[in-house]
Amino acid sequence: MTTLASGFDPKSFESRLYAQWEASGAFAPSGDGPAYTILLPPPNVTGTLHMGHAFQHTLQDALIRYHRMRGYRTLWQMGTDHAGIATEMVVSRNLAIEGKGETRDSLGRDAFIGKVWEWKQQSGDTIERQMRRLGASGDWSRSVFTMDPMASKAITEAFVRLHEQGLIYRGQRLVNWDPVLKTAISDLEVASEEENGHLWSIRYPLADGASYEHVEVDADGNETLRETRNYLVVATTRPETMLGDTAAMVHPEDPRYVALHGKYVDLPLTGRRIPVITDDYVDRAFGTGVVKVTPAHDFNDYAVGQRHDLPLINIFTDEAKIISSRDDIAEHYRGLDRFEARKRIVADLEAAGLLEDIKPHKLQVPRGDRSGQVIEPFLTDQWFVKMDGLAKRGLELVESGEVKFVPPNWINTYRHWLENIQDWTISRQLWWGHRIPAWFDGSGNVYVGRSETEVREQHGLGDAPLRQDADVLETWFSSAMFPFSTQGWPDEDAMGELGFDIALPTSVLVTGFDIIFFWVARMIMMTDQLVGRVPFRDVYITGLVRDKDGQKMSKSKGNILDPLDIIDGIGIDELVAKRTFGLMQPKMAEKIEKATRKEFPDGINAHGADALRFTMAALAGPGRDIKFDLSRAEGYKNFCNKLWNATRFALMNIGDFSLLPPGEEPAPEMLLIGGARRADEGTPVPNPHPNPSPKGRGALWPITDAEKWILAQLDRTCAEAAGHFADYRFDLLAQCLYEFAWNQFCDWFVELAKPALNGDDADAANSTRHTLLHVLDTLLRLLHPLIPFVTEELWQAVAPKLGKSGSIMTQPYPQAGELDATAYAQAEADIEWLKAQVSAIRRIRSELGVSPAKQVTLLLRGGNADDASRVARFDAQLRFLCRLERIEAITGEPPAAAPAVVGELQLFVPLEGLVDLDAERARLDKEIAKIAAEKDKSEAKLAKFGAGVPAAVVEQERTRLADWSARLDALTAQRARLG
């Protein structure tokens, strides 16, 4: 019989199975097959598993499991990122919670970094534990943390080599500056959202008492204003930055200001004079057509300043307060926060009669995604990577096909960025991270080297005082090296031990479109420059997981779903507490709680990892956004339950039957049933035994038409699965496997097998048992990459019947062509006919409300020779599957009966004794009246159509009329039979 539990309960086996897999070493590369490697985009060590992780990790794991089963030497390279800013914030927050008065600054660099390492040891592997719960079959023994010694050595080496090649330099440029964290941040860490602001119009007096004739005209060229002015009106959204203005700017072709080209204005509140310059960057239609130029505090102005050789005047400290070191800045502005300074400057301008106007204005405000503070363009000394040459090469590698984007349209995003690239700021003013390998002497000279000792030796510095650069490298720099820093580079011994040559290039990178710029492109450029290889062959770009309404999941919206809550379940009170804890806007808590209790009145039920994984695969279409609906997960939990019950049915009906006599080892052909390689070997080989018979049973296999039909369907499904894997169409893969498993195997073949299993033909029964085993085994292997836990648990119950042992993950993945499915074409056609008959009869029974236990009579009329032959062949099956007392062919009119038509064959189930004939007559009369009314409406509509009605509309209505007419004729005939 079976040892399977009576019900599907993922909690009872998922964690147990994962522990067995990991302990067995099955996740490590093995065998001598071709290499297949995936690099995990390293999640932040501070992080926990979110829906985006669950989505991408499911797809990566499916690819790894699939190729492992195909005999590849698979490596899923795991790792985590040290996440400089995020980690410093977490540890700083923990210090505040401890309440000992310790802060980052009070501890000092070394002590604070010590605290970070303590925290990392305690909590840093949380996300890896959560990935295990999802079923990730990565090689954890090779997991790399970006601050590990091996990775750190690679980062230092990369910096030094790039500096030696002239690609890394130090300079003063404008960067995104977070005044709370007091560090430069990347564009990716800046979120710009539209906010309400103002547009201030300020008078800048013309220098030396100059004036000009100011003329305004409307769109038709009509003069609307003419006056003499001794000032320009400048429009700005940031009046505080005027303290750093170095020019006023107009469009060279703006007729209003031609007379002022090359003149000067007096910069209000400062005592400085600045030139009036021309540049076609100015939008003449915006504001007054005159803009202030502040090169040290605006990225666009910085570019203008470079073109016009303007000075760069910084007015802010690293906390975005007004500096105290400039004589032209009034004393009462110094030390003020930028927004407080704005208020005072506006007030002073108004008092001086220089404030022309203030208007409400919508503007994009950049905020740091970590601190939430407004980001300040800030002029600082930073380390940069020259990008022009690297970008050109990076584009060549993709456009030549050495790296391929899937879907291919993402190459346009990649190309756009590389063609408009700026030099890359790689330094950060943090303590946690890879410290920049550069040392300064007392004169400010900088020396780059692998260590201070190397620097002293190479430059003959003896024991001269040196200080190392206090900055660290941004995490995107270390992440750019991840394809080779995880494989021992540049240490040749370590590279050999880790199999560098087969681990790089990796086979595919699975990642989101939002980091094409910041990670994908940089990995391509850095790996090519430093190693001379591409980092990966394919880049499979996924969409972003959103909620069921298409909204971005965020803490502030209160719509975040935790994948572990979907896997293991969570009560409503705990869910509410989780969603409302630590809100930046506490007033949102009540609204979030109300919405959460409405959507999940009883919390979230446990679905198991497999149901979540299958949901993710099914949603993985080629679009940008993935709408996650929890009801889909519930449906796929039912799917796992369906597999469970089908396996229990198979095992109970197979009984003691197996493909091997007791004690006999499986022959080679048995190992090859349904596989692409021998189960005990790693090398993909062709199957020399495409149609093995059940050894020792003396029967040809397969015997019944139902077996041949399901085997043909299985072969087709194997072919589809291979194609979908190759195309990264996980949605179509999930769809085709679901369709085969649920509809063809569980619903139909299990039903079609019952007559043979319960019949008197021993050979047919044994052959059917063989096919049940074979198809179930193959189906579980087909599904394993997507739903590994339940397939392993079920396969362990099936495997002994097949003479197999071990884990399903080391079994061969099924491939098409192992059976001559073309030979089963007639059987397929016959079974499809049988399915149509059974469906029609069951539909009649359902509509009539006939008890499943009650036998009925089936009358047949018409049909062709094939129908007559099939009725005779499938007599027993039809009786068994449809609970028929008898099947009779008629030529005349049937008695009162419920009809159906399949092809040319008419089916009738006599109603006598099954239904209340008077009630059925009344039901039919009501339905006939309804259909007749619809038919009359359609006829009337067609009669009113004139010559101007589109042909397509007319044809559509004619089709509807034909449908109503056919339905009316059928109902009328049925009603006539009832008298």
Side-chain angles (χ1 to χ4, degrees), residues 315-535:
I315 64 166
F316 289 136
T317 68
D318 60 3
E319 295 178 295
K321 294 180 179 180
I322 303 297
I323 62 174
S324 303
S325 58
R326 288 192 62 87
D327 294 337
D328 59 339
I329 295 180
E331 179 107 22
H332 64 285
Y333 300 143
R334 297 175 187 178
L336 291 180
D337 174 79
R338 54 189 162 161
F339 299 118
E340 186 61 34
R342 175 183 295 178
K343 295 177 183 176
R344 190 165 296 186
I345 287 170
V346 169
D348 288 350
L349 288 169
E350 187 169 23
L354 298 177
L355 189 62
E356 178 89 357
D357 191 21
I358 305 175
K359 293 180 179 178
H361 181 66
K362 297 279 188 181
L363 67 160
Q364 292 291 320
V365 177
R367 292 183 180 273
D369 66 352
R370 300 292 183 184
S371 67
Q373 294 299 308
V374 176
I375 295 306
E376 190 65 45
F378 193 52
L379 191 65
T380 61
D381 288 313
Q382 303 287 345
W383 290 91
F384 297 89
V385 179
K386 291 181 180 178
M387 298 303 292
D388 288 349
L390 292 171
K392 181 180 179 182
R393 175 64 177 160
L395 191 54
E396 288 174 358
L397 291 170
V398 171
E399 293 191 328
S400 69
E402 287 195 61
V403 177
K404 181 179 70 174
F405 276 88
V406 182
N409 59 289
W410 287 112
I411 191 176
N412 297 324
T413 302
Y414 177 85
R415 181 187 298 112
H416 176 76
W417 186 64
L418 290 185
E419 289 178 345
N420 296 276
I421 202 164
Q422 301 293 320
D423 284 357
W424 173 17
T425 314
I426 58 173
S427 46
R428 296 291 181 265
Q429 290 63 57
L430 303 170
W431 288 347
W432 174 242
H434 297 103
R435 195 163 178 180
I436 291 175
W439 284 261
F440 295 87
D441 64 16
S443 302
N445 299 309
V446 62
Y447 307 94
V448 170
R450 294 164 183 82
S451 66
E452 182 177 340
T453 300
E454 180 181 274
V455 164
R456 290 184 181 277
E457 291 176 353
Q458 285 185 349
H459 299 280
L461 297 175
D463 57 359
L466 294 177
R467 62 176 179 84
Q468 187 175 357
D469 194 315
D471 291 353
V472 298
L473 291 161
E474 75 150 339
T475 53
W476 291 112
F477 185 84
S478 53
S479 295
M481 317 302 166
F482 211 60
F484 51 92
S485 68
T486 56
Q487 306 304 321
W489 184 89
D491 185 327
E492 291 188 2
D493 291 338
M495 292 163 66
E497 182 180 340
L498 292 170
F500 184 89
D501 285 338
I502 68 167
L504 195 73
T506 58
S507 304
V508 60
L509 177 73
V510 179
T511 192
F513 64 80
D514 52 331
I515 56 174
I516 289 176
F517 309 146
F518 303 98
W519 192 45
V520 177
R522 288 168 177 171
M523 279 192 290
I524 292 173
M525 291 184 284
M526 292 296 104
T527 307
D528 173 70
Q529 181 67 27
L530 292 166
V531 185
R533 303 186 186 190
V534 293

Side-chain angles (χ1 to χ4, degrees), residues 792-808:
E792 179 74 88
E793 185 75 354
L794 296 177
W795 189 84
Q796 292 296 332
V798 172
K801 303 287 185 182
L802 300 162
K804 297 181 180 182
S805 59
S807 168
I808 190 174

Side-chain angles (χ1 to χ4, degrees), residues 597-842:
R597 290 188 181 278
K598 181 179 180 181
E599 186 175 4
F600 306 105
D602 301 314
I604 297 175
N605 294 327
H607 294 79
D610 287 325
L612 176 60
R613 288 171 61 110
F614 204 88
T615 305
M616 292 302 191
L619 293 173
R624 287 175 63 97
D625 294 330
I626 295 101
K627 294 182 180 179
F628 185 89
D629 189 342
L630 195 58
S631 64
R632 293 284 295 268
E634 188 65 34
Y636 293 130
K637 179 183 178 183
N638 294 337
F639 173 66
C640 294
N641 187 62
K642 184 90 167 180
L643 279 178
W644 191 275
N645 291 334
T647 303
R648 280 177 52 80
F649 167 84
L651 292 173
M652 286 188 290
N653 281 275
I654 288 168
D656 295 331
F657 177 89
S658 73
L659 297 188
L660 297 172
E664 183 172 329
E665 291 297 319
E669 61 266 29
M670 288 295 98
L671 290 171
L672 286 157
I673 292 177
R677 59 176 169 87
R678 284 188 47 170
D680 58 348
E681 295 181 357
T683 305
V685 294
N687 185 350
H689 302 277
N691 192 11
S693 65
K695 186 173 177 64
R697 297 294 172 176
L700 295 175
W701 179 69
I703 290 179
T704 69
D705 288 322
E707 293 174 78
K708 295 172 183 177
W709 168 78
I710 194 64
L711 290 171
Q713 299 298 313
L714 178 61
D715 187 77
R716 194 170 293 117
T717 301
C718 290
E720 289 182 21
H724 297 324
F725 264 119
D727 295 337
Y728 302 105
R729 288 303 302 269
F730 298 95
D731 54 334
L732 301 181
L733 172 68
Q735 180 182 328
C736 86
L737 295 182
Y738 181 96
E739 171 68 23
F740 177 81
W742 188 293
N743 295 329
Q744 294 168 301
F745 180 69
C746 294
D747 278 358
W748 278 110
F749 184 65
V750 164
E751 285 297 299
L752 295 172
K754 290 176 181 177
L757 293 172
N758 293 278
D760 298 327
D761 186 334
D763 281 345
N766 277 339
S767 181
T768 299
R769 292 187 180 100
H770 177 194
T771 301
L772 260 176
L773 271 175
H774 170 69
V775 176
L776 181 56
D777 164 56
T778 307
L779 173 58
L780 293 175
R781 288 185 283 124
L782 280 168
L783 284 165
H784 177 73
L786 298 184
I787 48 175
F789 292 107
V790 68
T791 51
E792 179 74 88
E793 185 75 354
L794 296 177
W795 189 84
Q796 292 296 332
V798 172
K801 303 287 185 182
L802 300 162
K804 297 181 180 182
S805 59
S807 168
I808 190 174
M809 74 164 63
T810 60
Q811 297 297 307
Y813 195 81
Q815 292 190 1
E818 295 174 336
L819 297 170
D820 185 9
T822 58
Y824 302 154
Q826 185 58 52
E828 281 195 90
D830 290 344
I831 291 297
E832 291 301 331
W833 178 91
L834 175 61
K835 285 170 58 184
Q837 310 304 313
V838 172
S839 296
I841 297 166
R842 287 179 172 177

Side-chain angles (χ1 to χ4, degrees), residues 163-454:
H163 184 266
E164 291 172 347
Q165 294 164 8
L167 293 174
I168 284 182
Y169 66 94
R170 181 173 170 82
Q172 190 178 67
R173 290 186 56 181
L174 216 56
V175 297
N176 292 307
W177 186 264
D178 190 313
V180 173
L181 300 174
K182 292 190 286 189
T183 180
I185 62 175
S186 74
D187 292 342
L188 183 65
E189 295 159 329
V190 178
S192 293
E193 294 187 4
E194 187 176 78
E195 299 182 16
N196 292 322
H198 294 89
L199 187 66
W200 287 270
S201 295
I202 304 168
R203 292 185 178 186
Y204 281 33
L206 294 172
D208 303 320
S211 63
Y212 75 106
E213 191 81 356
H214 185 80
V215 179
E216 299 278 354
V217 297
D218 61 20
D220 297 324
N222 300 314
E223 185 175 304
T224 59
L225 174 68
R226 179 182 291 271
E227 64 181 15
T228 299
R229 288 183 177 179
N230 61 355
Y231 59 86
L232 282 177
V233 179
V234 174
T236 180
T237 60
R238 303 178 68 211
E240 69 278 9
T241 62
M242 66 179 293
L243 299 178
D245 285 0
T246 56
M249 182 167 61
V250 297
H251 194 282
E253 298 175 4
D254 192 332
R256 293 173 292 181
Y257 306 115
V258 170
L260 298 179
H261 293 182
K263 303 293 186 180
Y264 287 83
V265 294
D266 290 325
L267 182 62
L269 310 179
T270 67
R272 285 193 291 117
R273 66 163 43 184
I274 57 177
V276 178
I277 64 172
T278 63
D279 197 293
D280 57 13
Y281 167 73
V282 177
D283 180 359
R284 287 179 281 179
F286 179 74
T288 63
V290 184
V291 296
K292 56 195 287 299
V293 183
T294 319
H297 294 288
D298 183 279
F299 289 105
N300 294 318
D301 288 4
Y302 179 83
V304 171
Q306 295 296 102
R307 289 197 294 273
H308 295 271
D309 197 25
L310 297 175
L312 288 82
I313 298 177
N314 176 44
I315 64 166
F316 289 136
T317 68
D318 60 3
E319 295 178 295
K321 294 180 179 180
I322 303 297
I323 62 174
S324 303
S325 58
R326 288 192 62 87
D327 294 337
D328 59 339
I329 295 180
E331 179 107 22
H332 64 285
Y333 300 143
R334 297 175 187 178
L336 291 180
D337 174 79
R338 54 189 162 161
F339 299 118
E340 186 61 34
R342 175 183 295 178
K343 295 177 183 176
R344 190 165 296 186
I345 287 170
V346 169
D348 288 350
L349 288 169
E350 187 169 23
L354 298 177
L355 189 62
E356 178 89 357
D357 191 21
I358 305 175
K359 293 180 179 178
H361 181 66
K362 297 279 188 181
L363 67 160
Q364 292 291 320
V365 177
R367 292 183 180 273
D369 66 352
R370 300 292 183 184
S371 67
Q373 294 299 308
V374 176
I375 295 306
E376 190 65 45
F378 193 52
L379 191 65
T380 61
D381 288 313
Q382 303 287 345
W383 290 91
F384 297 89
V385 179
K386 291 181 180 178
M387 298 303 292
D388 288 349
L390 292 171
K392 181 180 179 182
R393 175 64 177 160
L395 191 54
E396 288 174 358
L397 291 170
V398 171
E399 293 191 328
S400 69
E402 287 195 61
V403 177
K404 181 179 70 174
F405 276 88
V406 182
N409 59 289
W410 287 112
I411 191 176
N412 297 324
T413 302
Y414 177 85
R415 181 187 298 112
H416 176 76
W417 186 64
L418 290 185
E419 289 178 345
N420 296 276
I421 202 164
Q422 301 293 320
D423 284 357
W424 173 17
T425 314
I426 58 173
S427 46
R428 296 291 181 265
Q429 290 63 57
L430 303 170
W431 288 347
W432 174 242
H434 297 103
R435 195 163 178 180
I436 291 175
W439 284 261
F440 295 87
D441 64 16
S443 302
N445 299 309
V446 62
Y447 307 94
V448 170
R450 294 164 183 82
S451 66
E452 182 177 340
T453 300
E454 180 181 274

